Amino acid sequence: MNHSSVIRVASVPHGHVYVQHLADPDRDDGVIRLPDPPPENPAVGAPWWPLVMLDAHWITDHADEFDLYHLHFGFDSVAPEELAHITQTLRNLGKPFVYTVHDLRNPHHLDRAAHDAALDVLVPAADALITLTQGAAQEISSRWDREAAVIPHPHVVDLPTMRRERPHRERATVGIHLKSLRASIDPLPVLAALLAELQERDFELVVDVHTDVVTPGEYNHDPDVTAFLSSIEQIPGVRVHVHDFYPDEELWDYFLGLDLSVLPYRFGTHSGWLEACFDLGTRVLAPRLGHYHSQQEGVLGYGRDEDGRPNRADIAAALDLVQDPAWRAVPWRADPEQRLAQRRAIAAAHRRVYEQALDGVRA
């Protein structure tokens, strides 16, 4: 192809912050990503979902509007047979299919079988693959004998907010957010370990949860978690916050209010939450699974036994560090200028993948 020409990408989705930050921040990278067609009933916090463009009829009807189709995520409820139909439709139309493998385990599925079946369609069908870490690329190579370009996760937080000063605290503040209790979140064993440590040391434990988890009749309501949170509200040093989905500005304030964010995940692959914490200088304690520890150096880790119980020694070691003022004084935080430079490189790397995919289809 003419490598100076504009590439029109049907980005599925487009409105997510990760995708927004794939573009060069200050110059034209020659890539135009189509906006998300508005769904009839958009999800709270994800106005781009359900994905209108993830449909063979839409692809056929709008084929003259894009040069290349790039899928990221959001296909949780799409059957493998339909995904196969979509990829075959793209092939019939001569449209390259690029797939970024964000999740090797779907955080919304307790049973991995459905996502594995989807990956068994998407990964072999893709004209080009991208993933976020070298470890994930190795797993892709091992499972499907396919090579994926490794392009790191861009910044999540906007650059002006990344430059905000962190508040000074004498007492360490540790946070654990249950969100809407998606399948990958297993909070009670981690909370039990943190509460046991709270009996032996002085720190503030902040527990957040979305309103739908504690509201009877809501889809994500969990009576066991609700009862547990009610039982700990009066413990000295514990704050329980029940709230709706945070808009970005409130989420950034939340991160800035923590010294350590504990990820209570039972499985997973990569984490945008971790990247946002790094943008704002909030340390992360993540389970030693997936590829979280390959995203950024300095992520603290804990092991889990077969029953999901975290290793108490790992939790204690992380709290020893976060309670040390000298350790907290050494920043673990993204440099905004380095994030800008990284984003330029990310944009250029995507442009190269797109060019190669287009060249391959037209050869």
Side-chain angles (χ1 to χ4, degrees):
M1 69 169 293
N2 179 354
H3 289 182
S4 64
S5 61
V6 171
I7 301 174
R8 302 169 302 163
V9 178
S11 179
V12 188
H14 174 262
H16 191 278
V17 66
Y18 167 88
V19 181
Q20 297 282 302
H21 289 175
L22 300 182
D24 193 295
D26 48 22
R27 60 177 69 101
D28 183 1
D29 56 16
V31 175
I32 296 175
R33 292 178 173 87
L34 304 188
D36 297 301
E40 286 187 12
N41 298 296
V44 175
W48 42 267
W49 194 87
L51 296 167
V52 175
M53 286 194 280
L54 191 62
D55 178 83
H57 295 295
W58 185 95
I59 290 167
T60 301
D61 292 345
H62 297 267
D64 60 347
E65 298 174 20
F66 67 94
D67 305 303
L68 178 146
Y69 190 92
H70 187 172
L71 177 62
H72 291 276
F73 36 68
F75 52 86
D76 310 57
S77 59
V78 181
E81 295 77 12
E82 180 59 24
L83 293 173
H85 181 43
I86 287 168
T87 59
Q88 187 59 52
T89 299
L90 290 165
R91 191 165 299 282
N92 292 344
L93 292 168
K95 302 291 184 179
F97 170 48
V98 176
Y99 173 43
T100 294
V101 186
H102 292 266
D103 300 311
L104 288 159
R105 274 294 303 266
N106 190 313
H108 302 286
H109 294 173
L110 194 58
D111 184 341
R112 67 177 299 154
H115 192 64
D116 283 349
L119 292 177
D120 283 340
V121 172
L122 296 173
V123 173
D127 296 290
L129 293 168
I130 298 169
T131 193
L132 309 182
T133 57
Q134 191 61 48
Q138 291 168 355
E139 188 172 342
I140 291 163
S141 176
S142 175
R143 290 175 64 178
W144 293 281
D145 195 25
R146 290 294 311 271
E147 181 178 351
V150 178
I151 305 177
H153 199 299
H155 67 95
V156 174
V157 178
D158 62 280
L159 294 165
T161 303
M162 285 175 65
R163 296 185 174 97
R164 283 174 54 184
E165 288 190 19
R166 289 183 58 82
H168 175 74
R169 283 180 288 271
E170 295 294 336
R171 189 186 191 199
T173 303
V174 177
I176 180 170
H177 204 310
L178 282 56
K179 307 180 188 177
S180 287
L181 213 62
R182 65 189 185 189
S184 65
I185 293 179
D186 185 22
L188 298 188
V190 182
L191 276 168
L194 291 169
L195 288 165
E197 289 294 326
L198 189 62
Q199 305 307 309
E200 303 173 7
R201 60 176 81 223
D202 182 36
F203 67 94
E204 185 169 23
L205 178 60
V206 180
V207 185
D208 282 70
V209 65
H210 288 161
T211 308
D212 55 355
V213 173
V214 301
T215 304
E218 291 285 345
Y219 181 78
N220 294 316
H221 176 57
D222 188 306
D224 293 334
V225 170
T226 301
F228 186 88
L229 295 179
S230 296
S231 74
I232 67 173
E233 283 184 301
Q234 303 305 316
I235 295 176
V238 175
R239 286 190 286 134
V240 177
H241 293 159
V242 178
H243 54 83
D244 291 329
F245 190 91
Y246 276 149
D248 285 349
E249 294 77 10
E250 292 182 43
L251 185 59
W252 309 156
D253 288 341
Y254 164 77
F255 287 136
L256 287 167
L258 303 178
D259 296 297
L260 180 70
S261 179
V262 182
L263 308 188
Y265 300 161
R266 69 179 104 219
F267 55 79
T269 311
H270 300 116
S271 171
W273 187 274
L274 182 156
E275 297 288 345
C277 285
F278 181 59
D279 287 339
L280 294 171
T282 300
R283 287 280 188 168
V284 172
L285 176 59
R288 294 192 184 99
L289 52 82
H291 301 286
Y292 305 128
H293 294 266
S294 299
Q295 288 185 241
Q296 298 293 343
E297 292 184 7
V299 175
L300 304 177
Y302 67 90
R304 289 167 43 93
D305 67 18
E306 292 181 357
D307 296 320
R309 290 187 295 262
N311 184 295
R312 275 287 303 278
D314 290 342
I315 301 291
L319 293 174
D320 285 343
L321 290 173
V322 84
Q323 287 188 282
D324 181 351
W327 184 82
R328 292 209 307 274
V330 177
W332 181 78
R333 187 171 189 173
D335 178 279
E337 292 307 315
Q338 290 180 0
R339 281 297 217 186
L340 266 177
Q342 180 192 51
R343 187 164 153 191
R344 295 185 192 106
I346 287 169
H350 276 82
R351 169 85 194 194
R352 287 193 297 272
V353 169
Y354 295 160
E355 290 173 348
Q356 291 164 4
L358 286 162
D359 286 344
V361 166
R362 293 168 181 172

